[in-house]
Amino acid sequence: MALVADDHGAGYVTDDVPTPTIERRAPSREPRRSWASSQPYVARTVAADDGQRRWRAVAPGYVRSTVLSDFVLAFAITAAMTQQYGWICLGFGAIAGTGFVVLVAASRGYIRKSLGSASVEFESALRGTLLLGLGLMAAAFTWQLDVPRRLVFVGLPLLWVLSWADRHGRRRRLHRARERGEAMAPTLVVGRVGEVVRLVDKLHASPYHGFEPVAACLPDPQALGRVSGIEVAGGLADIVQVAVDRRIEVVVLSMSTLSGDALRRLSWALGRAKTDLVVAPDLVEVAGPRLTLRPAAGVSLLDVEVEAPRRRLLTKSLMDRSLAAVGLLVAAVPIAVAAVAVVITSPGGPFFRQTRVGLDGKTFTMWKLRTMYVDAEARKEKLKDSSEGAGLLFKMRADPRVTPVGRFLRRTSIDELPQLWNIAKGDMSLVGPRPPLLEEVAAYPDHVGRRLHVRPGLTGLWQVSGRSDLDWDASVALDLRYVDNWSVSMDLMILWKTGRAVLKGHGAY
């Protein structure tokens, strides 16, 4: 006896002969058709032309304008900083502009599927700029070209900043359009009922990613008429035909629904239907640098990184300490002025020191500018019932313990600047979870202790996602997401967003 899988993830039992004796197939609404067939799929209905609502319709223009903008920026900066004139200047600018576009493209910076993703665009622009700099230096050494130093050390950083700012503006406009329901990819969600509900709810909660769930396919299409507000359009065997009929751009499939040969054949059929296939793994909140595909023994293995490699840790440490040292020099005057203001306006010293918990549970003394009256800790017990923070966080929007000067320092985050000393010493990092108190750590559930797996940070995901406006559970979820997926490029992106959060003052109190 042998169990043989059919195209749709079901199977039948055979007695080692090609003719099946017992068939077990998942139900479907339409006649079955082999996913391995070479026949094209034909739509049975004429869908309305919804123009700008579809991402596939607007993506080519988005790509072209991004490529043109990158070329113009690289051309203009190179031409402005070269020491040549006339046609030589224009030719040098054209070569640099073309080279920058090619390098960004090689870094997957213009892929339709990833445009609108901050991390992908950030990394591709940074990688393209670095590679262009290396190319210019190699050309200068090989052919004895006179490449201006200011082009390499001033022009290229300026190119990256302007390119990133341009992409940021485009992405913001794209996200606003998607909030209005435009530039979306009609999406078919496939899986068991609970999996479909989870995926649909998550996609609806984050429309800026561009997925618009419009229909679902379940193993049993007769079980329900609608799931999470979208129609159940068929069973597993109906996936491709439903995608063609409804002009679906993306099929999002739960990994536990189909696997092996059935999933492979489905990818063939969706390829003929010009529909993208996205498989949602059962791993939760694990992505980015921790996941890679490793081909072995004729199968694709999903390699999950359990520890950050030493080179990444070293890069993060070097970046933290060097930027903190520069930051201390720049912030010395603001810190001194703020310290004087604190001393003049309220009794007590200018600085507040507190024991916090750092990497792997080790304690350290964290420094801040004092923003509260000296008896703040004694008054905390009386105010516990007035706390507006969920979970273990004590927060009050109108905290009577905060001084008038302290409110300004908190709103502008100037009170956090002395922590640059903690970063330079190695107690903290520029980016990481909030450094917790001893009593908070003592009350942590087991899974929350994962926050201590990295150094606490001056800023982090929760600070750029709402700061004090977030509740305890949301803050923990963001911190754990960072611990599981951090990278140097993610740190740079969070630092960029921190500047905007500080300038706007959202959630700071």
Side-chain angles (χ1 to χ4, degrees), residues 153-164:
F153 296 107
V154 178
L156 292 184
L158 179 62
L159 171 61
W160 175 71
V161 170
L162 293 179
S163 175
W164 170 242

Side-chain angles (χ1 to χ4, degrees), residues 113 187-190 199 203 211 249-255 263 266 270 275-281:
K113 298 177 184 179
T187 302
L188 174 65
V189 184
V190 181
L199 289 170
L203 294 178
F211 296 99
E249 293 184 13
V250 182
V251 171
V252 176
L253 172 73
S254 172
M255 179 174 281
L263 181 58
L266 175 61
L270 290 175
T275 302
D276 296 333
L277 173 62
V278 176
V279 178

Side-chain angles (χ1 to χ4, degrees), residues 1-4 12-16 21-22:
M1 303 286 286
L3 181 64
V4 180
Y12 53 81
V13 178
T14 73
D15 291 309
D16 297 325
T21 56
I22 302 175

Side-chain angles (χ1 to χ4, degrees), residues 69-381:
S69 178
D70 283 349
F71 176 85
V72 170
L73 285 173
F75 177 91
I77 291 174
T78 304
M81 293 195 171
T82 186
Q83 297 175 347
Q84 304 295 332
Y85 300 96
W87 289 108
I88 296 178
C89 173
L90 296 178
F92 197 31
I95 292 173
T98 303
F100 181 62
V101 168
V102 169
L103 292 171
V104 172
S107 302
R108 303 179 64 82
Y110 305 122
I111 302 296
R112 172 176 58 85
K113 298 177 184 179
S114 58
L115 283 173
S117 170
S119 59
V120 174
E121 293 191 351
F122 185 94
E123 292 179 8
S124 62
L126 178 61
R127 193 175 294 115
T129 305
L130 292 175
L131 291 175
L132 180 60
L134 291 175
L136 289 174
M137 289 187 287
F141 177 79
T142 304
W143 294 294
Q144 301 298 310
L145 297 179
D146 185 16
V147 178
R149 288 186 177 87
R150 59 180 176 177
L151 173 60
V152 176
F153 296 107
V154 178
L156 292 184
L158 179 62
L159 171 61
W160 175 71
V161 170
L162 293 179
S163 175
W164 170 242
D166 175 70
R167 289 165 179 268
H168 175 73
R170 293 173 186 276
R171 190 171 61 255
R172 290 291 299 274
R173 292 192 293 273
L174 176 62
H175 289 178
R176 286 195 294 269
R178 284 175 169 172
E179 289 175 356
R180 299 191 300 267
E182 301 172 5
M184 301 292 284
T187 302
L188 174 65
V189 184
V190 181
R192 298 182 178 88
V193 175
E195 296 165 338
V196 169
V197 169
R198 177 175 62 86
L199 289 170
V200 169
D201 289 348
K202 285 185 175 294
L203 294 178
H204 277 154
S206 305
Y208 53 86
H209 289 303
F211 296 99
E212 182 182 18
V214 296
C217 284
L218 307 178
D220 182 2
Q222 309 301 332
L224 296 169
R226 299 183 72 83
V227 175
S228 281
I230 63 174
E231 179 188 356
V232 176
L236 301 185
D238 305 314
I239 293 173
V240 185
Q241 190 61 57
V242 170
V244 173
D245 290 342
R246 295 173 180 256
R247 297 175 63 199
I248 297 294
E249 293 184 13
V250 182
V251 171
V252 176
L253 172 73
S254 172
M255 179 174 281
S256 61
T257 307
L258 290 176
S259 60
D261 206 40
L263 181 58
R264 182 188 186 195
R265 290 168 179 258
L266 175 61
S267 70
W268 296 347
L270 290 175
R272 296 199 308 278
K274 308 300 182 184
T275 302
D276 296 333
L277 173 62
V278 176
V279 178
D282 292 333
L283 285 170
V284 178
E285 297 287 7
V286 178
R290 290 192 63 198
L291 297 181
T292 54
L293 283 178
R294 182 197 298 179
V299 296
S300 295
L301 304 179
L302 190 62
D303 193 344
V304 182
E305 181 182 273
V306 296
E307 292 290 341
R310 183 175 178 82
R311 65 181 183 279
R312 202 191 309 159
L313 292 170
L314 180 60
T315 302
K316 181 179 176 70
S317 179
L318 290 173
M319 182 180 73
D320 285 338
R321 298 195 180 209
S322 58
L323 291 181
V326 173
L328 279 172
L329 293 176
V330 174
V333 173
I335 291 174
V337 172
V340 171
V342 170
V343 171
I344 291 175
T345 57
S346 65
F351 296 103
F352 174 72
R353 292 171 294 177
Q354 191 175 47
T355 299
R356 295 292 181 110
V357 182
L359 177 66
D360 295 330
K362 296 179 181 178
T363 59
F364 68 97
T365 300
M366 187 184 75
W367 289 76
K368 295 179 66 174
L369 284 163
R370 183 170 59 83
T371 59
M372 293 185 174
Y373 295 103
V374 291
D375 61 344
E377 287 299 314
R379 296 164 62 182
K380 180 178 177 181
E381 291 296 324

